[in-house]
Amino acid sequence: MTRGAWDGDLFRCELTSTLVETLEGAPDVAGLERAVAVSSQAAEDLCRDRPMACGKGCPHCCVLNVSILLPEGMLIADWLRSQLADEEYSGMREHLAAHRRRVRWMDDEERIFAGVKCPFLDDVGSCSIHQVRPLVCRGAASLDSNRCREAFKAFDPYAERFVPADLLRQAAYDEAFKALAEALRLHDLDDRSIELGGGVLAFLDHPESLDALLSGERLPRDLWE
């Protein structure tokens, strides 16, 4: 399928309807997990077997701000609790807190200039939460690793930074993100997006926020800002 043959608006509308059905009934963790999985799978079905230069240990673009929806933050936090030993878990919380303090109010250009990497990159530049990585991350696919490395290794405000990317993949995941947000809104659930590291930390430090989210409350912004 080519970009020209794909109707993003139709894709988003159909996926929103599917997600509204997925979330029917009293919302629970399993329902939110299914909704996130359905969103990801719908986009991935469009992009399966498309070429990309990205691979394990290829962290060049992992200096950019990443937006997640609240259920994504919740699920990543739950995954970390289940995967990390006590010492690792404590270390991750401290690392996320330090990262949040450092990047607060930084835009992408400032993060590139400062060389601020994603807090979930491991020591060899691989994604430590790859299994549950956000929709935005799944939609990023460079077609030229060398161009990607050159674009993000240094910051020059006057230089052009161009990375050939799979625009269909990016668009599909963008629409999946919007569809999930709309389905949450239609179920009177908090549909806001937040920064990845701060959002996950909010659910690690305040597990009671899960009950508030499921009950339809709007979580206070100071949880992640």
Side-chain angles (χ1 to χ4, degrees), residues 27-69:
D28 56 17
V29 173
L32 291 177
E33 186 173 9
R34 285 194 301 272
V36 172
V38 168
S39 302
S40 176
Q41 191 61 55
E44 194 59 34
D45 285 344
L46 286 171
C47 309
R48 193 178 306 280
D49 298 326
R50 292 176 65 85
M52 69 170 68
C54 308
K56 188 174 183 179
C58 178
H60 309 310
C61 70
C62 300
V63 293
L64 303 176
N65 284 297
V66 172
S67 293
I68 60 171
L69 294 166

Side-chain angles (χ1 to χ4, degrees), residues 64-190:
L64 303 176
N65 284 297
V66 172
S67 293
I68 60 171
L69 294 166
L70 289 167
E72 293 185 279
M74 175 205 73
L75 294 172
I76 294 171
D78 281 351
W79 188 85
L80 290 171
R81 289 191 191 96
S82 69
Q83 296 295 313
L84 300 182
D86 290 345
E87 186 175 344
E88 293 175 308
Y89 180 75
S90 178
M92 174 59 74
R93 289 177 65 178
E94 292 176 4
H95 180 52
L96 289 174
H99 182 270
R100 182 176 66 174
R101 289 191 297 270
R102 186 178 183 192
V103 303
R104 191 179 187 189
W105 314 124
M106 274 189 176
D107 60 21
D108 284 342
E109 292 181 348
E110 290 169 323
R111 286 182 62 155
I112 294 170
F113 179 74
V116 181
K117 298 290 187 179
C118 173
F120 295 110
L121 285 178
D122 64 20
D123 293 340
V124 295
S126 294
C127 177
S128 65
I129 58 166
H130 191 267
Q131 181 178 329
V132 290
R133 67 196 185 281
L135 294 170
V136 168
C137 297
R138 294 173 187 269
S142 169
L143 301 177
D144 188 328
S145 180
N146 289 329
R147 294 284 293 275
C148 200
R149 181 180 60 252
E150 290 300 311
F152 292 107
K153 75 176 183 180
F155 177 72
D156 179 350
Y158 302 106
E160 286 191 18
R161 287 184 286 116
F162 174 72
V163 177
D166 185 344
L167 297 183
L168 175 60
R169 173 177 287 274
Q170 180 179 324
Y173 274 97
D174 283 350
E175 296 302 333
F177 186 99
K178 295 174 187 176
L180 180 55
E182 178 67 4
L184 293 171
R185 186 188 67 80
L186 292 172
H187 277 281
D188 296 320
L189 298 173
D190 199 330

